[in-house]
Amino acid sequence: MMINHHDKAIWVVIFILTFFFIGNFIFTQVEILQLKNNLNTPVQTQTPVVYNPVQQTSSPTNSPIATSTVFPTASPKAIATAKPITQITYIPLTGGSTQNTDWTTINSSQFNFNINDYGTPQGDKLPYVIWDANLRVDNGSGETFARIYDTTHNIAVNGSEINISNTSTSTDVISGSLQFWSGNNTYVIQVKSLNGSTAFVDSGRIKVTY
């Protein structure tokens, strides 16, 4: 069977058109594939960098640099003071009794005392002196009085008088502050009864705090 030229030309045209359509189809598929890849690729965003310029100051050439001198602050120092030590001295006294309504000296009670031995008003310590005694009255009826008497100056010691009323039980009675004259003096206890009942001073003592 012989193929004429007209039929050849038709097959050539068919082949060319087929090749064209196939190439166009392949090209279209490649473009579609690239488009899909672009759509699936995440978009990367770049964070903007904010630039904060540091302000710089320039000092003129040869300008002096300001300096400050810190001087130490003087703190007050605690001044240690010696705490005075309190001392107490007791001088025991002998008692006695009387029925006299006038002041009567208990001779056995005599003692010597010098206030200057324990500090003076001009010194650095002031002695504080009191005395106490056990007083009672016979039958618990009446009143007993007692005091310290300065036989050197023939005066009663100021603040030394004490008393007790209507009790036959020996009771300790304490005086207030005593005012002694300066110097080495002799003292005694004096006692008296209010109504003639026997007045007793059982015992006593001088207390010096300095």
Side-chain angles (χ1 to χ4, degrees), residues 27-39:
F27 178 79
T28 303
Q29 292 299 318
V30 171
E31 290 292 325
I32 293 172
L33 182 61
Q34 289 181 351
L35 181 61
K36 288 182 179 180
N37 290 335
N38 291 335
L39 291 174

Side-chain angles (χ1 to χ4, degrees), residues 158-207:
N158 190 25
S160 67
E161 185 173 326
I162 57 177
N163 66 288
I164 194 170
S165 300
N166 302 324
T167 179
S168 59
T169 302
S170 187
T171 304
D172 186 43
V173 183
I174 303 173
S175 74
S177 178
L178 305 183
Q179 308 291 321
F180 287 95
W181 281 36
S182 179
N184 186 24
N185 303 314
T186 302
Y187 301 91
V188 293
I189 294 177
Q190 289 188 334
V191 61
K192 69 176 181 179
S193 171
L194 177 66
N195 57 2
S197 297
T198 305
F200 293 91
V201 177
D202 291 329
S203 62
R205 64 180 180 176
I206 300 289
K207 179 182 178 181

Side-chain angles (χ1 to χ4, degrees), residues 1-9 11:
M1 178 176 177
M2 296 297 291
I3 299 175
N4 58 26
H5 293 286
H6 177 73
D7 292 334
K8 266 183 200 180
W11 282 107

Side-chain angles (χ1 to χ4, degrees), residues 14 26 30 36 51 55 71 96 114 121 126 166 169 178 183 203:
I14 293 172
I26 294 173
V30 171
K36 288 182 179 180
Y51 176 66
Q55 184 178 1
F71 295 95
N114 188 347
L126 297 175
N166 302 324
T169 302
L178 305 183
S203 62

